[in-house]
Amino acid sequence: MEIPISERLKKLPPYLFADLRRKIAAARQRGIKVISLGIGDPDTPTPDPIVQELCRAVRDVNDPNRHRYGCDVPVAEFPQAVRDFYQRRYGVTLREDQVVVTSGSKDAIAMFPMAFMNGGDVGIAPAPGYPTYNIGHVFAGADTYLAPLLRQNDFLMDFEAIPHEVRRHAKVLWLNYPNNPTTAVADLEFFRRAVEFGRKHDILIAHDAAYSENTYDGYKAPSILQAPGADEVAVEFFSLSKALSMTGWRAGCVVGNASAVRGLRTVKENVDNGILRGIQFAAAKAMNVAEELIPPINAIYRRRRDWVVEALNRSGWNIPKPKGTIYVWAPVPEKYNGSSAAFCTDLLETTGVVVTPGLGYGQWGEGYFRISLTYPDDVIQEAVGRIAQLRL
Ligand SMILES: Cc1ncc(COP(=O)(O)O)c(C=O)c1O
């Protein structure tokens, strides 16, 4: 028997990478030697001090709670390490009730709207953007307004362009800088304007800071919580995944407005059982020594970024080196008339290199493609060499 899916599931767009995986499999079957630069999942291992701390904690026979539900016997060191990190890194003081630790940010982003949105409410999401913002709205029975990130605005959200009707019904507005997929970065002045907009229209501003630590050439990304009055309307989703090569560990936090933190905590208490204590200890360790562990990881991405951007520019592109994220975002060449799917298919057929078509991030991503830097040096170099042979 085929079980009919819910109206809710019917509303979900196809998973971005499902189509990509199918195309890769088909190309391989045809004998093409495929190199994928499609997915942003760090290839470099988690730094050893973090792994050591996990091993210590899961083996600690003096800790009788070491294998129990992480929510019932939480590790206070983790939220404390988050607070210390925000103080050191941004000069932001967080009270205890302004921090909730999460199993990475994807789950938290998907759950968050359930705490604050009802049917008929609207969530404002960046377009192109990370698909989970919209998915969270759908699960909460709410609608999404896609706010375009345009090149002429340096891919910053234009608050003034958000229609008044949307502002009236909006409960949550998502931002993400450094931005996936456009690689744009925002300064504190932009976050000030975001906070002002949220206060004026009673909209909760949710900043996804998944790439806040993946920055280069001396650039340091600000936190939205540095903006005056931010803790009245804003929360920030921080993740250890990309900063510390910890995607599989599922560790992060949401910080800022205390009532928003409390709402998410209530949803979490009802749908998950917390994080293994060993992971919480390891995450605390990671945050406590983040400043030592992150620069060597970023040095790897910077080197790869340079190879990719310089190779593209030698082949006729003209793109600046991104200051943040683990991606390169580039326009498709003119002869493809703006079709990212046509370019990516042609690239795969002629060179075996897989990149993500911008259209996968919705219509506002059309005309661009994304290269992920989370593949080993030799793979990136091989891919770059193949792209250089493309005749544009
Ligand atoms: C913009 C953005 N936010 C959140 C995430 C989720 O990261 P995690 O759930 O590993 O913290 C990703 C992952 O690719 C992302 O690109």
Side-chain angles (χ1 to χ4, degrees), residues 156-157 159 175 177 186-195:
L156 294 172
M157 193 180 284
F159 304 116
L175 295 172
Y177 293 100
D187 60 13
L188 191 52
E189 177 51 33
F190 173 81
F191 286 139
R192 275 201 193 102
R193 283 191 279 121
V195 166

Side-chain angles (χ1 to χ4, degrees), residues 104-106 109 130 133 176 180 208 210-211 239 241-242 250:
S105 46
K106 184 176 186 178
I109 291 167
Y130 188 57
Y133 313 130
N176 163 229
N180 176 20
D208 174 1
Y211 300 95
S239 172
S241 287
K242 313 292 166 106
R250 314 311 304 134

Side-chain angles (χ1 to χ4, degrees), residues 40-294:
D41 188 355
D43 60 306
T44 48
T46 304
D48 205 48
I50 305 172
V51 177
Q52 294 289 347
E53 180 61 7
L54 170 74
C55 295
R56 181 204 66 72
V58 289
R59 289 197 180 120
D60 183 2
V61 290
N62 296 318
D63 178 0
N65 297 321
R66 65 193 180 283
H67 299 151
R68 299 180 61 201
Y69 287 131
C71 56
D72 291 338
V73 279
V75 172
E77 285 85 342
F78 183 18
Q80 184 59 49
V82 169
R83 294 168 67 196
D84 294 343
F85 177 81
Y86 264 76
Q87 190 71 60
R88 289 196 312 275
R89 166 80 168 83
Y90 302 113
V92 168
T93 306
L94 295 169
R95 296 186 315 268
E96 220 171 298
D97 65 346
Q98 290 183 288
V99 180
V100 56
V101 300
T102 62
S103 307
S105 46
K106 184 176 186 178
D107 320 33
I109 291 167
M111 285 182 206
F112 191 69
M114 268 190 274
F116 304 104
M117 302 184 84
N118 297 304
D121 288 341
V122 174
I124 300 170
Y130 188 57
T132 311
Y133 313 130
N134 169 51
I135 288 164
H137 301 157
V138 171
F139 284 160
D143 298 315
T144 299
Y145 171 77
L146 294 176
L149 307 185
L150 303 176
R151 188 182 185 166
Q152 62 262 34
N153 298 333
D154 298 323
F155 300 111
L156 294 172
M157 193 180 284
D158 181 358
F159 304 116
E160 293 315 311
I162 297 171
H164 285 271
E165 186 60 13
V166 171
R167 299 180 196 190
R168 252 197 305 283
H169 295 287
K171 286 279 156 45
V172 177
L173 179 150
W174 294 94
L175 295 172
N176 163 229
Y177 293 100
N179 181 261
N180 176 20
T182 70
T183 75
V185 296
D187 60 13
L188 191 52
E189 177 51 33
F190 173 81
F191 286 139
R192 275 201 193 102
R193 283 191 279 121
V195 166
E196 252 170 53
F197 184 80
R199 290 169 77 169
K200 186 164 165 202
H201 299 288
D202 280 334
I203 301 172
L204 180 51
I205 310 291
H207 179 232
D208 174 1
Y211 300 95
S212 62
E213 307 314 302
N214 296 108
T215 59
Y216 314 106
D217 308 330
Y219 172 74
K220 286 257 183 208
S223 160
I224 195 168
L225 300 182
Q226 289 173 287
D231 59 3
E232 284 174 41
V233 284
V235 280
E236 190 152 80
F237 289 64
F238 182 88
S239 172
L240 283 75
S241 287
K242 313 292 166 106
L244 289 145
S245 300
M246 291 178 72
T247 44
W249 296 62
R250 314 311 304 134
C253 58
V254 176
V255 298
N257 178 276
S259 54
V261 163
R262 191 163 56 243
L264 177 61
R265 189 173 302 182
T266 304
V267 178
K268 282 178 60 55
E269 277 165 5
N270 284 281
V271 301
D272 74 34
N273 271 326
I275 316 165
L276 177 75
R277 276 169 69 82
I279 292 178
Q280 295 186 56
F281 277 113
K285 171 82 185 182
M287 304 263 341
N288 283 335
V289 292
E291 291 88 339
E292 269 167 54
L293 301 181
I294 291 172

Side-chain angles (χ1 to χ4, degrees), residues 25-36:
R28 283 204 173 113
Q29 269 201 331
R30 288 201 304 279
I32 297 175
K33 192 167 168 266
V34 174
I35 301 180
S36 174

